[in-house]
Amino acid sequence: MGYSYIFGPVFSGRIGRSLGLDLLGRRVCSMDCVYCEVGKTDLLTGERDVYVPAADILNELEKWKQEGHQPPEVITLGGLGEPTLNSEMPEIIRGVKKLFPSMPVAVLTNATAMTDTEVRKELLEADVVLPSMDSLVASEFRAINRPCRGIDPTSIAKALIEFRKEFNGKIFLEVLLSRGYNDSDENLTLMKEFCTELAPDRIDVVTLSRPGTLEKAGPVDSETLGRWKKVLDAAPCKDRDCEPDTDAKKRSGDETIAHVQGDGSHAFDRIQASIMRRPQTAQQLAGALDIPLERVEQVLTELEKSGRLHVKQTGNEIYYDCRLDGDT
């Protein structure tokens, strides 16, 4: 069957083979980052609401489990927008843990909503929280993240530090650098101080390796990237997405269910859902979804004929993403 809110799995250099849950269903976010891989934000807001009911997401997840897919290493709340804006996030986290009792639950977040004590309390139920913080210089923050009114980086940084005091899980911080936007020495100094106080379990300093929202948003050079990684003591990941570990140990236990090869009638829906949320190469899709490369290429050809496939070459890699209905 096709899914509206489940996508992947996708490979992540930080958390492994991850099954994604889209808590927004469309591009709803408190930021409109220049580098965002899902495109321009449609609804720029900091207001929480039931954008997608928890029951709808959990019903899909239960069906996904019953279909007999190879279990992922982690289930991640993310998708097309900022997942913490969904006011039913705690019900979703608890529902995931009920369906997959020993599966870690991760939350991708831009951390803007964590200035709300209630959101921080809800996130305590997750196992891994992956916040982003691109600049602590207010003018840079506005330029690269383009947040909705009333959001400032200092308040977000303070909220993350408060969260660190209570959270028993892991925090993986990501800093994404874009040339001319947030790669200043001033930002590096402030980020060093912040990271020292936050003491996250992992820091990833990355730059653009995929198509973003604005063409002018480009990657920093390798020298700049290396300097930032050294100063912030970042994890050894060369870009935003490390290559999948094909020898990764398969999860075992009560979540190990009969494996279903992904080259049947569901391949089209699974590939389309995945590249709607994240641009990927054909090889990445084949590896993460466990679909033969030949079948992946067939689906990409079908999508290209429909006019919904967007293709962009970055370096030696060709990335594919699928436009949402109404996109041009």
Side-chain angles (χ1 to χ4, degrees):
M1 63 165 288
Y3 292 100
S4 298
Y5 310 114
I6 293 178
F7 62 98
V10 297
F11 278 110
S12 166
R14 295 184 288 173
I15 53 177
R17 191 169 183 268
S18 167
L19 183 68
L21 305 183
D22 185 350
L23 274 61
L24 285 305
R26 57 193 178 112
R27 292 177 298 217
V28 179
C29 193
S30 51
M31 292 180 170
D32 186 20
C33 300
V34 299
Y35 57 74
C36 186
E37 59 193 23
V38 300
K40 182 175 174 58
T41 296
D42 294 319
L43 176 59
L44 183 65
T45 181
E47 295 296 320
R48 303 188 80 197
D49 202 348
V50 186
Y51 293 100
V52 179
D56 291 355
I57 294 172
L58 295 172
N59 286 340
E60 282 198 359
L61 186 59
E62 184 173 13
K63 290 176 183 177
W64 186 91
K65 180 179 180 180
Q66 291 172 350
E67 282 187 346
H69 299 282
Q70 178 183 329
E73 295 175 275
V74 62
I75 294 177
T76 304
L77 279 57
L80 289 168
E82 171 51 41
T84 60
L85 292 179
N86 190 321
S87 57
E88 293 193 348
M89 180 179 66
E91 289 89 339
I92 295 167
I93 294 175
R94 288 193 290 269
V96 172
K97 288 180 174 288
K98 185 175 180 180
L99 285 168
F100 295 90
S102 62
M103 187 83 66
V105 175
V107 181
L108 292 168
T109 178
N110 61 27
T112 54
M114 293 176 72
T115 55
D116 183 339
T117 56
E118 185 62 30
V119 173
R120 295 203 299 270
K121 181 180 177 181
E122 293 172 7
L123 284 171
L124 294 176
E125 298 190 50
D127 300 292
V128 185
V129 173
L130 300 97
S132 61
M133 175 61 75
D134 299 326
S135 183
L136 286 165
V137 180
S139 58
E140 293 181 2
F141 175 78
R142 291 191 297 270
I144 191 169
N145 297 128
R146 302 190 296 184
C148 57
R149 185 173 298 180
I151 294 176
D152 74 275
T154 302
S155 297
I156 298 170
K158 289 179 180 178
L160 277 167
I161 290 167
E162 287 302 310
F163 179 68
R164 169 81 284 181
K165 296 174 183 177
E166 299 180 295
F167 186 50
N168 293 322
K170 294 183 177 181
I171 294 179
F172 294 168
L173 179 71
E174 180 179 271
V175 181
L176 189 145
L177 299 176
S178 181
R179 184 181 62 252
Y181 277 95
N182 64 329
D183 53 348
S184 68
D185 289 341
E186 181 184 3
N187 188 30
L188 179 55
T189 298
L190 293 173
M191 289 296 300
K192 174 61 176 176
E193 295 171 358
F194 166 64
C195 289
T196 299
E197 188 171 1
L198 179 65
D201 297 272
R202 174 178 174 134
I203 301 171
D204 288 275
V205 179
V206 298
T207 192
L208 282 79
S209 61
R210 299 174 178 215
T213 301
L214 296 185
E215 289 288 340
K216 67 178 182 179
V220 296
D221 58 46
S222 58
E223 182 180 351
T224 300
L225 186 63
R227 182 165 60 93
W228 273 69
K229 286 184 176 184
K230 183 176 181 179
V231 171
L232 299 185
D233 193 23
C237 181
K238 62 184 177 182
D239 56 32
R240 190 165 195 171
D241 300 280
C242 296
E243 288 300 310
D245 181 2
T246 54
D247 297 321
K249 185 166 61 177
K250 302 303 180 186
R251 176 171 295 275
S252 60
D254 58 353
E255 282 99 8
T256 301
I257 44 184
H259 171 54
V260 175
Q261 184 71 7
D263 59 345
S265 58
H266 300 333
F268 184 95
D269 291 333
R270 294 178 65 206
I271 292 169
Q272 179 176 251
S274 189
I275 58 177
M276 277 176 60
R277 275 88 178 183
R278 174 186 243 188
Q280 294 166 76
T281 67
Q283 291 79 8
Q284 287 171 341
L285 286 163
L289 297 175
D290 198 22
I291 297 174
L293 181 59
E294 181 180 1
R295 177 60 178 138
V296 170
E297 291 172 341
Q298 289 174 351
V299 170
L300 293 173
T301 299
E302 292 176 50
L303 285 168
E304 189 170 19
K305 289 179 180 178
S306 73
R308 297 188 63 205
L309 191 70
H310 181 233
V311 183
K312 183 171 182 179
Q313 184 163 346
T314 303
N316 295 323
E317 300 284 3
I318 298 176
Y319 287 91
Y320 301 90
D321 71 84
C322 187
R323 296 183 177 92
L324 297 172
D325 291 335
D327 280 355
T328 56

